[in-house]
Amino acid sequence: MTSAFYMDDDEELLLKIRKHWFLVFLDFAIIKLFAIAPFIIIFIFPSLITGVAQEPVMIGLSAWFLLCIIAFATTWTNYYLDLWVVTNKRIVVLEQISLFHREETTMRMERIQDTTIEINGFFPSFFNYGDLTVNTAGEHTKNHTFEGIPNPEEVKALVLERVDAVTEHKDKLEFSDVQRPSHGE
Amino acid sequence: MTGYGFLWIIFAVAFFMYVGYGCVLMYHWFTYGYDQKVAMIASFLYIATGSIALALFAGALV
């Protein structure tokens, strides 16, 4: 599937989730505004590129564009490398926190206790995206929140369905172990 | 060119940041990315758009 995430042979990929496109669109829109700002200035003061100041303006423009390209690429990288993978056995959270800070968390379905979704605001309600929090059981209980995922209700339903299926299967196995007579009897 | 020394410094910093960041980003795309094709397209776009900025710079020198 990927170079960064490997699955077992009997593991089935159910869902790959990234942040909603609108969130990255907002970030891009801001950077784009910065990128076109020099053109607006040149449009207002056309003498900048026709007069004696042409050379420094061009050098400044090219430096500005290089910085804007870096901002674009970094934003896209943060979006692209953040991923939730839901399989029939676990949820894997791959998070690129900064360029040199990457986290990978695995939550097994049988350890998941609750899931909570939060859709807060006009745009999240309109575009149907929100935050999904998954609570896991264990000694080191930790909540994992994935912000801005599309269709959070559907994702929550899928996760709970898988949790129920895994728990039911586990209960059946435990029950059959109890029922099975031991060799000594 | 003299008299615009600070612009040259700004450009040099931006250029080295562009190259340095580019190397790090491409490393991430190819190592942690989920599709080699996407990494290749992203790298191509990064270099192509950077080339436009560098062409502007070259235009200033001509």
Side-chain angles (χ1 to χ4, degrees), chain A residues 72-143:
Chain A
F72 259 115
T74 308
T75 305
W76 180 77
T77 304
N78 277 329
Y79 163 76
Y80 180 62
L81 296 182
D82 276 0
L83 186 70
W84 267 38
V85 184
V86 182
T87 74
N88 57 342
K89 287 182 169 181
R90 58 191 171 137
I91 298 174
V92 182
V93 184
L94 303 159
E95 271 184 294
Q96 191 71 38
I97 292 157
S98 67
L99 267 189
F100 298 101
H101 187 180
R102 189 171 167 78
E103 277 184 9
E104 184 176 333
T105 311
T106 300
M107 291 175 278
R108 303 201 71 81
M109 287 295 179
E110 60 265 27
R111 297 187 80 85
I112 293 172
Q113 287 188 318
D114 295 309
T115 56
T116 312
I117 56 169
E118 188 181 346
I119 301 171
N120 184 15
F122 172 75
F123 286 117
S125 303
F126 189 73
F127 289 111
N128 190 23
Y129 68 88
D131 302 344
L132 174 70
T133 304
V134 176
N135 305 326
T136 51
E139 205 174 315
H140 303 288
T141 305
K142 201 177 172 187
N143 297 342

Side-chain angles (χ1 to χ4, degrees), chain B residues 12-53:
Chain B
V13 170
F15 179 73
F16 283 111
M17 275 180 73
Y18 170 77
V19 174
Y21 254 76
C23 293
V24 174
L25 288 172
M26 283 177 208
Y27 171 78
H28 277 76
W29 297 337
F30 282 102
T31 310
Y32 303 119
Y34 312 105
D35 193 335
Q36 295 293 299
K37 272 185 198 164
V38 174
M40 282 165 74
I41 292 166
S43 304
F44 172 76
L45 285 175
Y46 188 82
I47 294 166
T49 47
S51 302
I52 294 169

